[in-house]
Amino acid sequence: MTCLHSHTWAQRVAGHRPYPDVPSLLAAADEAAYDLSTEDLTEALAAESMPAFPEDTYSAAHTALNAAQAAYETKFGHVFVVCLDGVPAQESLDHVLEAIRSRLANDPEEERSVVADELRGLAKQRLRHTLRGAGNCATSH
């Protein structure tokens, strides 16, 4: 649940244990996230928050981000999520701003599909991080 706050997803992943290796777990996590219902996505989105940015990020960027995030939440009714896996920290704010602005042009059904993809990426990223912390995953992504 800490990787993706969806009971359906967690039950699907847990239901196939034990996994023979990390790639099998990540593949199962990815597969479990496909076809989550609107209610499942709503449950997962309710637990999400914006990523943390470096403290020296200038205030104008935060103002722009807050405005874009408010517009997104008004249009789609939930928080904006984006997987920053592989994005250098110094580029994360620009990446988020670019993504949120481009996704504001999506219709709700198209955005639901994008959100599902982003949540899948976040879940896999969090699983990798959790496994590295447990000493079970020595490979990088």
Side-chain angles (χ1 to χ4, degrees):
M1 292 294 286
T2 60
C3 295
L4 183 65
H5 191 84
S6 163
H7 285 87
T8 300
W9 179 84
Q11 289 170 348
R12 288 178 182 172
V13 172
H16 296 286
R17 293 177 301 177
Y19 292 97
D21 52 34
V22 172
S24 297
L25 170 61
L26 295 176
D30 198 42
E31 183 65 31
Y34 280 101
D35 300 323
L36 290 177
S37 70
T38 300
E39 293 79 18
D40 295 327
L41 290 175
T42 299
E43 177 187 22
L45 287 166
E48 293 295 329
S49 61
M50 288 295 290
F53 296 108
E55 287 186 28
D56 62 344
T57 304
Y58 54 97
S59 64
H62 278 287
T63 301
L65 179 61
N66 289 339
Q69 185 177 0
Y72 181 93
E73 289 183 22
T74 297
K75 180 172 182 175
F76 296 110
H78 58 77
V79 298
F80 175 79
V81 291
V82 64
C83 181
L84 296 174
D85 197 18
V87 176
Q90 66 272 18
E91 296 174 20
S92 60
L93 182 62
D94 289 337
H95 183 83
V96 170
L97 281 169
E98 180 181 326
I100 206 168
R101 287 178 180 147
S102 70
R103 288 169 51 189
L104 276 167
N106 291 347
D107 64 53
E109 189 58 31
E110 182 179 16
E111 185 58 17
R112 181 185 181 281
S113 176
V114 173
V115 164
D117 287 342
E118 294 296 332
L119 286 171
R120 275 192 294 280
L122 285 167
K124 285 173 41 177
Q125 176 186 2
R126 291 169 181 157
L127 277 170
R128 284 188 206 100
H129 177 77
T130 299
L131 292 172
R132 272 194 296 272
N136 294 334
C137 182
T139 60
S140 63
H141 43 93

